Amino acid sequence: MMIHLNWHERPTIKTVVCNHTNAEKYIVHNVLTPGREYEVKNETDDFYFIIDNRGKVGGYYKHYFTEKAV
């Protein structure tokens, strides 16, 4: 199954808070906002797949975020 086709409808796994947008290699300051909460739709060892500021699902390194306490 190709889950990327229905990520917007998938349940949120958890909520994370963006810590920073200080990227060494990629530009993320235009799609992430420090202090803002984002819904995680999928997760791998290195990435969170979230709905970003554009309203699209994107994969971002986990070091940009901390998990929000439940």
Side-chain angles (χ1 to χ4, degrees):
M1 181 160 93
M2 297 186 289
I3 64 171
H4 68 279
L5 297 176
N6 66 353
W7 260 333
H8 283 275
E9 293 81 33
R10 293 179 66 82
T12 298
I13 297 172
K14 62 178 96 173
T15 302
V16 293
V17 177
C18 180
N19 293 327
H20 66 84
T21 57
N22 302 327
E24 293 178 17
K25 189 173 181 180
Y26 303 103
I27 297 172
V28 297
H29 68 272
N30 57 348
V31 293
L32 298 175
T33 303
R36 182 172 171 190
E37 295 180 8
Y38 295 93
E39 295 180 354
V40 177
K41 296 298 183 174
N42 195 19
E43 179 179 3
T44 65
D45 289 340
D46 297 323
F47 296 95
Y48 287 128
F49 292 87
I50 63 164
I51 298 176
D52 61 25
N53 294 353
R54 302 170 300 164
K56 298 181 179 182
V57 174
Y60 300 96
Y61 285 113
K62 288 184 172 182
H63 67 82
Y64 296 120
F65 306 94
T66 52
E67 291 186 24
K68 185 177 176 185
V70 178

